[in-house]
Amino acid sequence: DQQVKQNSPSLSVQEGRISILNCDYTNSMFDYFLWYKKYPAEGPTFLISISSIKDKNEDGRFTVFLNKSAKHLSLHIVPSQPGDSAVYFCAASYLNRDDKIIFGKGTRLHILP
Amino acid sequence: DGGITQSPKYLFRKEGQNVTLSCEQNLNHDAMYWYRQDPGQGLRLIYYSQIVNDFQKGDIAEGYSVSREKKESFPLTVTSAQKNPTAFYLCASSRGDNYGYTFGSGTRLTVV
């Protein structure tokens, strides 16, 4: 049973527009959420994170929003650039516990020229 | 510079042979992980280790084995019992507090 779900396998967005990637989770005990970006044939790299005590975290063009009541988070990329074309993994964890980070299956983002 | 190194980048093996993928980190991380990525499957956890000389099975451990004799190293052996070994393998490490993982650059294994 998937605890972290990314329901859109792929997403295409025009260059310069906003990209919105969505993620849902089932366990309300998760207290830390992360987004990773992955290019083909490379390892994922950390992009941005958010603690459950916040509802928004911003880093340059990237903003993550957390809606705890809906168990939903989203990653906004504004403006979208060609280098943003990659697979994005949403992940959730329990901080400071002997447990693993749970990853979603990923969403492939295509930035169109 | 601290980091996590996987070698080799590409690996070819004949069916029926065991093969070992290397993963080394100099981040002084306690925990290490092996994932497998297949198209449309996301990241699937094979094995993980939270401390030296101890490791646990992940979601798809069958046909794989690991060892953790040193903090820096977590090699993965893909045995002949693994029915579909061709995949992209990713190693990761963390401090163990779940603030995030650092991933290696991956090894693409092709079994012919």
Side-chain angles (χ1 to χ4, degrees), chain A residues 17-31:
Chain A
R17 299 288 187 104
I18 182 172
S19 294
I20 300 177
L21 292 90
N22 292 305
C23 178
D24 297 295
Y25 60 96
T26 57
N27 192 334
S28 58
M29 299 300 290
F30 286 133
D31 51 11

Side-chain angles (χ1 to χ4, degrees), chain A residues 36 38 41 96 99-101, chain B residues 9 37 45 97-98 101 104:
Chain A
Y36 283 82
K38 185 185 180 301
N96 301 313
D99 213 332
K100 307 171 295 300
I101 291 178
Chain B
K9 182 74 173 176
Q37 187 190 16
L45 183 65
D97 54 12
N98 286 332
Y101 294 171

Side-chain angles (χ1 to χ4, degrees), chain A:
Chain A
D1 188 30
Q2 276 186 272
Q3 295 188 68
V4 177
K5 299 177 185 179
Q6 294 178 258
N7 292 320
S8 298
S10 67
L11 175 68
S12 294
V13 174
Q14 207 77 34
E15 183 179 353
R17 299 288 187 104
I18 182 172
S19 294
I20 300 177
L21 292 90
N22 292 305
C23 178
D24 297 295
Y25 60 96
T26 57
N27 192 334
S28 58
M29 299 300 290
F30 286 133
D31 51 11
Y32 196 67
F33 303 90
L34 311 95
W35 285 94
Y36 283 82
K37 176 180 179 180
K38 185 185 180 301
Y39 292 119
E42 293 184 13
T45 54
F46 170 76
L47 193 57
I48 193 169
S49 63
I50 188 167
S51 164
S52 60
I53 62 173
K54 293 186 173 182
D55 54 19
K56 177 182 175 182
N57 188 27
E58 192 172 351
D59 183 2
R61 296 186 298 115
F62 303 93
T63 303
V64 56
F65 295 92
L66 176 62
N67 182 335
K68 289 187 289 294
S69 61
K71 298 193 187 71
H72 177 83
L73 64 155
S74 60
L75 174 68
H76 292 214
I77 306 174
V78 183
S80 299
Q81 297 176 353
D84 297 330
S85 294
V87 175
Y88 291 79
F89 290 101
C90 172
S93 76
Y94 312 92
L95 287 178
N96 301 313
R97 274 181 45 171
D98 279 348
D99 213 332
K100 307 171 295 300
I101 291 178
I102 309 297
F103 288 90
K105 288 192 172 185
T107 295
R108 182 175 297 278
L109 176 65
H110 300 270
I111 304 302
L112 306 171

